Amino acid sequence: MEIINRRQRMASVARKLRRDEDKTIGLVPTMGALHDGHLSLVREARRMCDVVVVSVFVNPAQFGPGEDFARYPRDLTKDTTRLADYNVEYIFAPAVEEIYPKNFATYVTVEGLSEQFEGASRPGHFRGVATVLTVLFNTVRPDFAFFGQKDAQQTLVVKRLVRDLAFDTEVVVLPTVREESGLALSSRNNYLSREEREAAVVLYRALQRAKETYREGERSARKIAEAVRAAVEAEPRARLDYVGVTDAETMEKIERAADDRPVLVAVAAFVGKTRLIDNVVIQPARERRATGALTG
Ligand SMILES: Nc1ncnc2c1ncn2[C@@H]1O[C@H](COP(=O)(O)OP(=O)(O)OP(=O)(O)O)[C@@H](O)[C@H]1O
Ligand SMILES: [Mg+2]
């Protein structure tokens, strides 16, 4: 395993693998503080690709002014140890100036999609995400790039970015890894006290409520959202930021869940001072799903 800090070095290593050795490259972009969610992406990358590159970069451009960039958990030594177990070939861990050199002035915006939900609560967030991924994709030129469903809106932003700007990379989205309690793994769970960690399960519980409400026959997006809101409000340590009930593929707001399209229920809430997100995709009736027309 090699830890690469320089963009030039990363680019030349990747170029050689591609050109001279005809290897397929998988990229797993992360901000480090790795947990089993990240490692599920690494495992799939390992399975699908000849060479695995994990980037570890806390990207300042995707943090807002009042956010936690400075205190975000960083532990490259521990991350390296965890990745060694998966025989990862390269860790790309650049300094900020390596990605954003002096006079950096070019940003990428995925319009529309970036402005609602996470984007509305965190202005500029997806511009930061799309920009850093553009730099990473152009540096590594991965055949496959791996992302977690926990960040549902991000997966849609990335897919749109890749399609619109014609990146020669296939986006692979993998399921959310959870604790036994249901709590989605997240590096920001590190901020939670023991009591808050228990309270944080309310996001998962609220999403289960949404699913049950749907299974009981409710199709009104407003009513499904209301069930989520009520569940979150029942937990005194939690404060709802938003709940979105949308089309799962476009993230467009809907009034009613259609019979033939999956619905995304996405939620963000503060538990204490920590902001957490989670989501669930509700699949329509099984007969329709079996056609495969709704996936991809
Ligand atoms: N529980 C999880 N299951 C599957 N994938 C995950 C999970 N948590 C994060 N990921 C994915 O890992 C990748 C890197 O995410 P990131 O480094 O921001 O970790 P994170 O846990 O989301 O941290 P934070 O919550 O602080 O943003 C993203 O594609 C993200 O969707
Ligand atoms: Mg994240």
Side-chain angles (χ1 to χ4, degrees):
M1 181 160 64
E2 180 184 344
I3 301 177
I4 298 179
N5 301 118
R6 300 278 180 199
R7 185 154 133 185
Q8 286 297 348
R9 166 83 187 148
M10 185 71 251
S12 70
V13 163
R15 190 182 309 116
K16 182 159 175 296
L17 288 165
R18 248 187 341 268
R19 286 198 189 152
D20 304 346
E21 303 176 28
D22 201 27
K23 302 273 206 240
T24 58
I25 303 176
L27 173 67
V28 182
T30 82
M31 300 204 298
L34 301 180
H35 50 64
D36 288 346
H38 297 113
L39 296 174
S40 73
L41 309 183
V42 173
R43 202 177 305 120
E44 185 63 6
R46 178 77 288 159
R47 204 183 64 75
M48 289 178 65
C49 308
D50 297 326
V51 176
V52 177
V53 179
V54 177
S55 61
V56 174
F57 180 64
V58 184
N59 174 31
Q62 72 187 67
F63 288 77
E67 293 185 4
D68 54 347
F69 174 70
R71 66 186 189 103
Y72 195 84
R74 292 167 171 87
D75 191 344
L76 189 59
T77 310
K78 197 166 159 198
D79 291 344
T80 305
T81 310
R82 302 210 74 179
L83 293 173
D85 293 342
Y86 291 84
N87 302 317
V88 165
E89 281 83 359
Y90 299 98
I91 299 177
F92 181 41
V96 171
E97 316 79 67
E98 237 359 82
I99 298 295
Y100 302 108
K102 197 164 177 293
N103 297 329
F104 185 96
T106 310
Y107 291 86
V108 180
T109 306
V110 177
E111 294 182 0
L113 192 53
S114 291
E115 285 143 35
Q116 52 182 353
F117 303 113
E118 278 304 284
S121 290
R122 307 182 67 189
H125 172 67
F126 288 121
R127 173 182 186 257
V129 169
T131 301
V132 78
L133 287 177
T134 298
V135 175
L136 291 173
F137 288 172
N138 281 331
T139 303
V140 177
R141 307 211 169 222
D143 297 279
F144 299 92
F146 297 83
F147 296 87
Q149 175 63 26
K150 190 203 68 176
D151 297 272
Q153 191 173 0
Q154 172 170 275
T155 68
L156 299 181
V157 167
V158 177
K159 283 182 183 168
R160 195 75 66 86
L161 169 74
V162 163
R163 192 204 65 181
D164 289 356
L165 297 188
F167 284 101
D168 192 11
T169 293
E170 187 174 320
V171 174
V172 180
V173 177
L174 295 167
T176 303
V177 176
R178 300 177 181 283
E179 289 185 350
E180 221 167 305
S181 66
L183 175 64
L185 297 187
S186 159
S187 301
R188 287 188 169 100
N189 292 352
N190 286 320
Y191 297 145
L192 302 170
S193 69
R194 198 172 51 77
E195 294 78 10
E196 286 171 346
R197 215 182 172 86
E198 282 170 21
V201 180
V202 75
L203 276 79
Y204 176 71
R205 253 201 324 270
L207 294 168
Q208 293 307 109
R209 277 301 302 144
K211 237 174 164 171
E212 284 159 23
T213 306
Y214 179 94
R215 296 285 172 237
E216 287 159 11
E218 186 58 72
R219 292 293 178 273
S220 153
R222 193 177 52 77
K223 292 252 177 73
I224 294 169
E226 215 29 71
V228 172
R229 176 179 299 278
V232 173
E233 281 174 357
E235 168 52 61
R237 287 180 202 270
R239 181 166 56 81
L240 187 73
D241 181 7
Y242 67 74
V243 48
V245 178
T246 69
D247 185 272
E249 283 163 19
T250 63
M251 230 176 157
E252 274 159 353
K253 286 182 184 151
I254 53 173
E255 267 182 36
R256 293 184 63 76
D259 288 339
D260 58 350
R261 295 189 57 85
V263 172
L264 174 71
V265 185
V267 65
F270 287 89
V271 177
K273 290 198 165 93
T274 304
R275 188 173 177 284
L276 300 173
I277 61 172
D278 200 351
N279 67 85
V280 68
V281 175
I282 303 175
Q283 296 293 344
R286 210 180 308 131
E287 311 79 76
R288 301 292 185 105
R289 214 184 343 157
T291 66
L294 300 166
T295 57

